[in-house]
Amino acid sequence: MPSRKHYSVLALAATTSLLLAACGAPAGTPVVQTVVVTQEVVKEVEKEKVVEITATPVPEWTTPHPILSDIRVRQAIAYCTDREKLIESVYGYLPEEDRKKLLMDTFIPKDSVWYARNVDPNANIVDYPYDPEKGKALLEEAGWKLPQGGSIRVNDKGEPLALRFTTTNAPFRQTWGAVFVSQLQQCGIQLLPSYIPGSIWFGGNSGLRRRDFELGAFAWVGETEPPGVTLYACDQIPRPDNGWQGQNYMGWCNERASTAIKQANNTLNDAERKRLYAIVQEEFSKDMISLPLFQRLEATAHNKELKGLKADPTEYYTASIADWELPGKDTVIIALGQEPASLFLLQESAAVATIVGQTVFGTLYTQYSYGFQPVLLEGDQFPTIENGGAQNVEVEVQEGDLVVNADGDVGTLKGGKLIDREGNELSLKGKDINGNEVEIKAGVKLPQLTVTYKFKPHKWSDGEPVKKADWELGYKVACDRESGAVSFFTCDRVVSHEVLDDNSYRVVYAKGYQPPTYYLPPFGYYPSHQKLADGRTLAEVPPKEFKNLKEVTDTPLGTGPYRIKEWQRGQRIVLEANPNFWKGEPKIKNVIFQVFEGGPAGAVAALLQGTVDVVGKEVLGAGQELQTVIEEANKGTIVAEPMGSPTWEHVDFNLNVR
Amino acid sequence: MANYLVRRFILVFVMAFVVSLASFVLLYSAPGGPLEQLVALQSTTRRPDPDEIERIMKRYDLDLNLFVRYLRWLTGHPRGPIVIGGQEVFGDLQVGCLKEGQARLVYPDGRVVEINCAKPVFLRDLADRPTGNGVIRLDFGRSQQLAREQPVIELIESRLGNTLLLMGLSTFFAIALSIPIGIYSAVKQYSRFDYFFTTLTFFGSGMPTLFTGVMGILVFALLFQRLGLPYLPAGLVESNRDAVVPLLGTIKAGSFADRLWHLILPVAVLTFFNLAGWTRFIRSSMLEVLRQDYVRTARAKGVVERLVILKHALRNALIPFVTLLAGVLPTLFGGAIITESVFNWSGIGRLFINALVASDYPVAIAYVLISTFLTLIGFILSDVLYTVVDPRIRLS
């Protein structure tokens, strides 16, 4: 144990740091700022008799950007950008009216139910139509004047209005990027383009994640649940002192938006959530910290004989595979852009794994058109507070309880402090059932959610009915730290999980945890009866072995419309119809997932040759092949319905410099 | 000879070690990696917990110092503290860091020590980690991305057959065609035949397989099919359903004919590409030999021209050709990266590219290491073959 004397040294250093900070010590000098004390540091102190401990000064990334911190410049860039021309540069083959549908003006696509104008047509969204004159006027007002005979604006110090524009070297981005650069040039803004490899731009320790940009272009993938908490909240700005956590790469902190987005993710009232998201969209467009450009175009192309395929921006086409029909053929061949690394879906979340997974495991619910639809849930309805399937009641917090605070962090209340799994102290700010702020302490009342998930009776593909032990095994594996599961986010917020019978289980969530999508079943199941090659049943296998079991990763038993017959690594996965599927055996008897790792061109060639029946949106991407299938579809040789993707391109403005 | 071979084999292992170290360090120092996969999971509604990141780091040894990580990959050790006489030794030795820290110690003597680790990893922590047997026991570890947690060697085995077939056939055809063409071009130097094949081979070597492959698909697969002519498949190793081809009839999926049908285009593209270099080599080698005195003497003695060329000239012209064969061995294993990609041929070359793209380092390093090993063995083989084809050469 460290001696009292050494603690005194640390305390002195910490106090000194506060004093110096209060005195406003000049930046750049090696001042004592914070002390990160670990046991090992203290040991070191003892051994070496250290007299002073200081923290390494860390760059804060809080200094306003000399150009982009001025809202007039950002708005000018928005007015100087002709987004329709950007869309035309990459999707010139689309009719003009279709191109216009891709335009974005907030961070939520226009076809989403969460888009502010879908909630209220008079929502206060600020539009930025192409108006270079207005843009130029704003720049003049901001002090950026065009010198006599010059083409780049300068300020009164003679500094040019030049900004770095960083994005990936993908041909798609380079194409619209070049148009963007020339459009801003017309307004006297010089962009210095830097098209770098995706591995650098999206690298773990470089590019975007280190906020190493001024103007940065990339795409976000929209989700059924609206995004935003990690993108736009004030405490999500990546900086060295928080380990670069968060995705608010712009460094945008708007208290109204930040509060609204947090509240939107911590209330169960959908109408209230829509109102809150509208607030965020208003502030987002007003502050112009990120210029939304356009939704990408996507299409799922398929054999024109194939019926029943449902293409949708937020759901995979295989969600409807049980209903497909292919007259005259007993096999449907689907192109995969890459091979799933594993079908152990607790570990694997790539699109290809989900696509194959939906075929083998089926789906408990679907996510069509930015919404959720029950599939295997009893009575075809989700358990909600309104229908009595869930209860949200106020309960008193006790010492030792698992509690979620207003930031969404979970911890255990110990000695008046909220302590997380790592032993870190968390904020004691909580929210009561009405959304009012309360201090988390013993005796205070917080909402607690209890949900009972009920399912239709159904069978595994080997004919064995799904039973209680299967759901218990599902929870056990999903929440075992050694199982190889990637995320324990929900597990960490569960107080109890009780399997009631063969077709239902009840979950009691931590006090204060108010997930908006509480009605979605959080845990799945495993066939506890499945016999393994070594003679054990799956129920007898420790969770830590699951990730290495071929019976789990390669040939899992499921309850979906098809079952795996053979997986030839690197080539294809062959499946056959499941006669025990709860909706009845599918009409198409076989499914083959053919791997096309050489790029989409091979898959498209195979589709045109008739050796493949479906090429999904995740294979086609946004390049030349997309154009090819749309043109072929127009000729009538195949079917390909283009639609706005939930993936949308935008340009972020970095409001800070190092 | 024996001494020579022993020395060369020792050198092979030293070289393989250096290559393994270099490729390991270079790849793990590059941006990306298994952690990227976790970061990619970071949805727009939440970010990964620090313990999620730490779990991934532990699983793939990313929290260990690069050298310790390399040692474990190469030898399967260290697996925990060293135990001598029941006593743990070096258990407290720090071998890595799970979480970076930000503290600085200033010592009385003025030394400044950065404490950059808030969660150090000690040798004793390795005891409960799964560890392979090490590359030296032919355990290349487990795939981190492409076939998560599956042994790398299984992944390589699953593709090896296809690559050997493609590369073996194309190499065979390239050699079989290049020798007669090279000889004839040399013998009939500056003839129309020579000009034609010289042009053709220049074209072959100048055109990348990416171009000839795509053109082949466009013409012989798509265009021919639309014109109702006998066509070739656009790619893949075999069909998933029976195909009806004009003049050829029904080709049953998975049959021998089907495999052959799928081989034609990629083998042709690779043969065309390889043919160029080898034909030029044989031609120039033959031209050199044909000007030798002993060839002139043979002709002067009245030996039949065919015998002069095949017996006197060709045998000697082929001696330098043996050196080219040294490069064939790693190629047979390594595959043709571009051709395999264009034709969606499930082979080793494509596996390597996929591994690089997905930052699946154990797979990529295994490929590099095996290729290096085969290249070095190929050199030794060519040296030995020299002594066989040319009695004047002795290895010492």
Side-chain angles (χ1 to χ4, degrees):
Chain A
M1 285 291 289
S3 68
R4 183 182 295 244
K5 182 181 164 190
H6 296 124
Y7 277 132
S8 307
V9 170
L10 299 172
L12 177 68
T15 313
T16 315
S17 73
L18 291 173
L19 282 172
L20 279 173
C23 294
T29 52
V31 296
V32 179
Q33 292 178 337
T34 54
V35 180
V36 181
V37 183
T38 66
Q39 205 177 349
E40 284 65 42
V41 172
V42 177
K43 271 186 194 166
E44 190 78 6
V45 172
E46 271 188 324
K47 199 167 67 188
E48 303 280 352
K49 292 188 177 136
V50 177
V51 292
E52 185 190 356
I53 294 179
T54 63
T56 306
V58 287
E60 287 289 337
W61 278 91
T62 50
T63 309
H65 190 284
I67 301 173
L68 291 173
S69 57
D70 187 337
I71 189 172
R72 291 168 297 188
V73 175
R74 303 196 301 269
Q75 289 179 332
I77 290 174
Y79 282 119
C80 290
T81 306
D82 185 351
R83 286 175 285 175
E84 287 183 29
K85 282 276 183 285
L86 300 189
I87 300 172
E88 193 182 345
S89 71
V90 284
Y91 298 131
Y93 52 90
L94 277 186
E96 194 180 343
E97 58 184 278
D98 287 351
R99 291 203 301 263
K100 278 189 175 165
K101 285 182 194 163
L102 299 176
L103 265 176
M104 293 274 292
D105 50 21
T106 77
F107 61 93
I108 296 181
K110 287 176 182 168
D111 38 3
S112 168
V113 292
W114 303 94
Y115 176 58
R117 283 182 175 138
N118 289 342
V119 179
D120 173 10
N122 301 316
N124 198 17
I125 304 287
V126 181
D127 288 313
Y128 294 90
Y130 178 53
D131 188 348
E133 293 314 313
K134 199 167 178 179
K136 288 173 188 169
L138 279 165
L139 290 173
E140 292 282 335
E141 192 186 320
W144 295 100
K145 318 263 185 209
L146 211 51
Q148 194 71 36
S151 60
I152 306 297
R153 290 174 184 274
V154 292
N155 60 12
D156 50 10
K157 293 180 199 158
E159 293 163 338
L161 182 49
L163 293 160
R164 274 190 301 140
F165 169 58
T166 313
T167 188
T168 64
N169 56 5
F172 176 79
R173 289 217 173 88
Q174 292 200 43
T175 303
W176 71 251
V179 180
F180 180 57
V181 170
S182 78
Q183 284 176 357
L184 294 200
Q185 176 86 37
Q186 302 300 315
C187 285
I189 303 169
Q190 185 183 28
L191 288 190
L192 308 167
S194 178
Y195 302 112
I196 58 178
S199 58
I200 306 289
W201 180 223
F202 302 123
N205 301 308
S206 56
L208 198 57
R209 289 185 209 288
R210 287 290 187 265
R211 300 181 63 196
D212 184 13
F213 68 97
E214 289 184 316
L215 265 67
F218 59 103
W220 281 126
V221 181
E223 296 171 9
T224 305
E225 234 338 75
V229 172
T230 64
L231 309 189
Y232 307 123
C234 288
D235 61 357
Q236 300 293 320
I237 300 171
R239 280 200 303 259
D241 55 336
N242 64 11
W244 299 101
Q245 291 288 300
Q247 293 173 296
N248 186 342
Y249 301 121
M250 299 84 64
W252 181 48
C253 184
N254 176 314
E255 285 300 339
R256 186 172 176 245
S258 185
T259 307
I261 199 125
K262 285 197 164 187
Q263 286 177 352
N265 280 270
N266 209 28
T267 172
L268 307 181
N269 183 335
D270 261 7
E272 175 66 359
R273 295 183 68 210
K274 284 177 179 169
R275 186 187 70 80
L276 292 165
Y277 270 116
I279 291 174
V280 186
Q281 290 172 73
E282 282 171 23
E283 295 298 321
F284 177 88
S285 63
K286 181 169 68 70
D287 284 359
M288 186 36 70
I289 36 80
S290 173
L291 175 61
L293 299 175
F294 56 88
Q295 284 174 269
R296 283 198 194 172
L297 189 70
E298 68 177 26
T300 289
H302 61 87
N303 180 340
K304 62 181 179 183
E305 305 298 327
L306 183 69
K307 309 289 176 218
L309 186 146
K310 210 168 159 184
D312 187 87
T314 50
E315 182 55 278
Y316 293 107
Y317 54 92
T318 39
S320 61
I321 197 167
D323 306 321
W324 292 4
E325 290 177 40
L326 189 56
K329 286 183 180 142
D330 64 354
T331 303
V332 63
I333 302 163
I334 301 170
L336 287 185
Q338 67 180 89
E339 194 171 35
S342 162
L343 287 180
F344 181 41
L345 298 186
L346 287 176
Q347 193 181 51
E348 191 57 43
S349 65
V352 282
T354 309
I355 285 168
V356 180
Q358 283 186 332
T359 314
V360 178
F361 304 118
T363 48
L364 297 177
Y365 57 88
T366 51
Q367 300 186 51
Y368 286 111
S369 306
Y370 297 91
F372 295 104
Q373 304 83 32
V375 173
L376 250 176
L377 284 109
E378 191 188 77
D380 288 325
Q381 59 175 5
F382 288 118
T384 60
I385 293 166
E386 292 74 24
N387 65 23
Q391 293 81 42
N392 194 36
V393 292
E394 272 193 317
V395 287
E396 254 186 30
V397 174
Q398 307 291 332
E399 188 72 5
D401 274 355
L402 197 65
V403 179
V404 173
N405 66 14
D407 293 335
D409 296 325
V410 64
T412 306
L413 194 65
K414 288 179 191 164
K417 291 175 180 171
L418 195 59
I419 309 294
D420 72 5
R421 287 177 59 87
E422 302 266 296
N424 302 317
E425 215 175 297
L426 301 173
S427 157
L428 284 170
K429 275 188 198 167
K431 286 276 169 70
D432 68 11
I433 202 161
N434 299 314
N436 301 318
E437 208 166 90
V438 291
E439 191 191 340
I440 297 171
K441 58 183 177 184
V444 77
K445 285 192 169 176
L446 289 181
Q448 185 167 39
L449 198 57
T450 303
V451 190
T452 305
Y453 304 95
K454 293 181 180 173
F455 306 93
K456 296 171 185 169
H458 57 295
K459 291 178 180 175
W460 295 101
S461 57
D462 62 359
E464 188 78 10
V466 171
K467 52 185 182 293
K468 200 175 170 185
D470 301 339
W471 295 103
E472 283 167 348
L473 183 61
Y475 177 68
K476 184 178 150 193
V477 175
C479 293
D480 189 301
R481 248 49 200 185
E482 300 293 315
S483 70
V486 172
S487 173
F488 297 96
F489 184 85
T490 307
C491 292
D492 289 344
R493 286 154 181 78
V494 168
V495 171
S496 74
H497 172 275
E498 185 190 359
V499 181
L500 304 173
D501 54 44
D502 288 348
N503 298 303
S504 64
Y505 64 82
R506 178 182 298 141
V507 176
V508 180
Y509 291 100
K511 290 168 185 171
Y513 184 47
Q514 301 283 280
T517 52
Y518 66 93
Y519 47 83
L520 302 177
F523 304 111
Y525 44 8
Y526 285 101
S528 56
H529 67 280
Q530 189 182 3
K531 275 270 182 204
L532 307 183
D534 59 11
R536 292 180 296 173
T537 62
L538 206 55
E540 294 165 341
V541 178
K544 68 176 179 185
E545 288 183 31
F546 268 60
K547 60 180 179 290
N548 297 325
L549 277 182
K550 291 266 186 208
E551 287 89 344
V552 171
T553 59
D554 285 23
T555 53
L557 206 58
T559 56
Y562 291 88
R563 58 189 180 194
I564 293 183
K565 208 165 139 189
E566 186 190 17
W567 185 339
Q568 291 172 288
R569 277 270 169 203
Q571 289 189 52
R572 59 187 175 180
I573 307 170
V574 183
L575 302 98
E576 61 186 359
N578 171 12
N580 299 300
F581 184 53
W582 66 278
K583 279 171 84 177
E585 189 174 338
K587 289 192 175 125
I588 301 176
K589 298 300 168 204
N590 304 290
V591 172
I592 294 176
F593 286 103
Q594 178 65 56
V595 180
F596 284 88
E597 289 172 333
V604 171
L607 177 70
L608 298 179
Q609 246 195 343
T611 51
V612 153
D613 299 307
V614 182
V615 181
K617 58 186 179 184
E618 79 293 340
V619 179
L620 281 173
Q624 180 66 39
E625 291 77 15
L626 181 63
Q627 181 179 353
T628 304
V629 296
I630 290 172
E631 285 169 356
E632 287 293 330
N634 290 338
K635 289 181 206 163
T637 51
I638 54 169
V639 175
E641 192 187 328
M643 62 181 78
S645 160
T647 305
W648 54 285
E649 295 284 325
H650 59 102
V651 177
D652 275 5
F653 302 111
N654 196 341
L655 305 182
N656 304 119
V657 289
R658 190 189 291 269
Chain B
M1 176 87 158
N3 270 347
Y4 171 83
L5 287 178
V6 169
R7 270 190 284 123
R8 288 301 299 265
F9 270 108
I10 290 172
L11 206 61
V12 164
F13 284 102
V14 171
M15 201 65 185
F17 169 76
V18 172
V19 169
S20 73
L21 184 63
S23 50
F24 193 92
V25 171
L26 283 173
L27 279 175
Y28 275 100
S29 308
L35 261 186
E36 292 300 296
Q37 171 250 342
L38 180 72
V39 176
L41 285 180
Q42 175 169 273
S43 73
T44 47
T45 46
R46 69 172 200 87
R47 63 191 189 198
D49 294 336
D51 72 317
E52 289 174 9
I53 294 172
E54 288 176 11
R55 217 169 29 252
I56 297 277
M57 290 181 73
K58 275 187 190 173
R59 190 190 302 156
Y60 298 130
D61 278 358
L62 297 174
D63 56 341
L64 301 185
N65 299 338
L66 201 54
F67 182 67
V68 178
R69 208 185 306 167
Y70 173 72
L71 268 186
R72 278 165 65 82
W73 171 79
L74 188 70
T75 65
H77 291 279
R79 296 173 176 225
I82 300 161
V83 180
I84 302 172
Q87 290 288 312
E88 283 189 359
V89 186
F90 298 124
D92 285 337
L93 182 71
Q94 188 180 337
V95 291
C97 180
L98 194 54
K99 190 178 180 184
E100 288 178 5
Q102 292 167 359
R104 188 169 59 168
L105 304 179
V106 182
Y107 290 86
D109 59 5
R111 276 183 306 128
V112 176
V113 176
E114 300 281 346
I115 302 295
N116 287 324
C117 186
K119 273 193 185 175
V121 181
F122 300 103
L123 203 55
R124 63 170 176 272
D125 298 330
L126 303 184
D128 54 358
R129 286 194 189 192
T131 313
N133 291 319
V135 170
I136 53 171
R137 293 183 194 86
L138 293 181
D139 180 352
F140 290 95
R142 289 177 181 270
S143 164
Q144 293 173 351
Q145 304 277 8
L146 297 177
R148 217 180 306 287
E149 306 293 345
Q150 302 303 317
V152 170
I153 203 75
E154 277 185 21
L155 212 55
I156 290 176
E157 277 170 11
S158 70
R159 317 260 181 144
L160 192 57
N162 288 335
T163 290
L164 287 178
L165 189 65
L166 176 67
M167 299 309 297
L169 278 176
S170 59
T171 307
F172 169 78
F173 283 120
I175 293 173
L177 291 172
S178 64
I179 292 175
I181 293 172
I183 294 169
Y184 200 78
S185 287
V187 173
K188 303 280 181 190
Q189 197 184 7
Y190 305 133
S191 65
R192 279 184 187 171
F193 179 91
D194 185 28
Y195 281 130
F196 174 74
F197 274 99
T198 301
T199 310
L200 196 70
T201 52
F202 270 123
F203 182 76
S205 60
M207 289 295 116
T209 50
L210 177 69
F211 174 77
T212 46
V214 170
M215 290 308 289
I217 290 172
L218 283 176
V219 175
F220 298 109
L222 298 179
L223 187 64
F224 272 36
Q225 188 184 20
R226 290 198 174 180
L227 294 175
L229 297 168
Y231 63 91
L232 293 169
L236 303 179
V237 174
E238 60 183 27
S239 303
N240 289 306
R241 59 165 68 113
D242 298 350
V244 181
V245 184
L247 300 179
L248 298 178
T250 302
I251 297 177
K252 213 164 169 49
S255 63
F256 177 73
D258 184 42
R259 296 293 302 265
L260 206 62
W261 189 46
H262 280 79
L263 271 165
I264 295 172
L265 211 43
V267 166
V269 165
L270 276 176
T271 304
F272 185 51
F273 184 72
N274 292 330
L275 191 65
W278 288 11
T279 306
R280 302 298 301 162
F281 190 89
I282 296 281
R283 181 182 177 274
S284 58
S285 183
M286 272 298 281
L287 281 174
E288 199 181 317
V289 173
L290 285 172
R291 291 185 193 115
Q292 297 291 319
D293 289 344
Y294 64 86
V295 173
R296 200 172 299 120
T297 308
R299 281 182 177 142
K301 278 164 65 183
V303 179
V304 183
E305 184 64 14
R306 215 169 114 192
L307 271 184
V308 171
I309 290 163
L310 295 180
K311 194 176 170 190
H312 297 275
L314 180 62
R315 276 185 68 174
N316 290 295
L318 283 182
I319 292 173
F321 187 70
V322 169
T323 53
L324 280 188
L325 293 177
V328 168
L329 198 59
T331 314
L332 287 179
F333 165 79
I337 292 168
I338 304 293
T339 310
E340 287 183 0
S341 295
V342 169
F343 290 100
N344 274 291
W345 191 266
S346 177
I348 299 279
R350 211 178 77 187
L351 178 70
F352 176 58
I353 282 293
N354 291 342
L356 284 181
V357 170
S359 301
D360 198 338
Y361 300 144
V363 178
I365 298 171
Y367 174 93
V368 172
L369 199 57
I370 295 173
S371 297
T372 307
F373 202 75
L374 290 175
T375 306
L376 296 169
I377 296 290
F379 286 145
I380 295 177
L381 269 180
S382 75
D383 285 353
V384 173
L385 278 176
Y386 259 132
T387 64
V388 176
V389 296
D390 190 347
R392 292 169 300 179
I393 298 171
R394 289 280 179 275
L395 298 177
S396 61

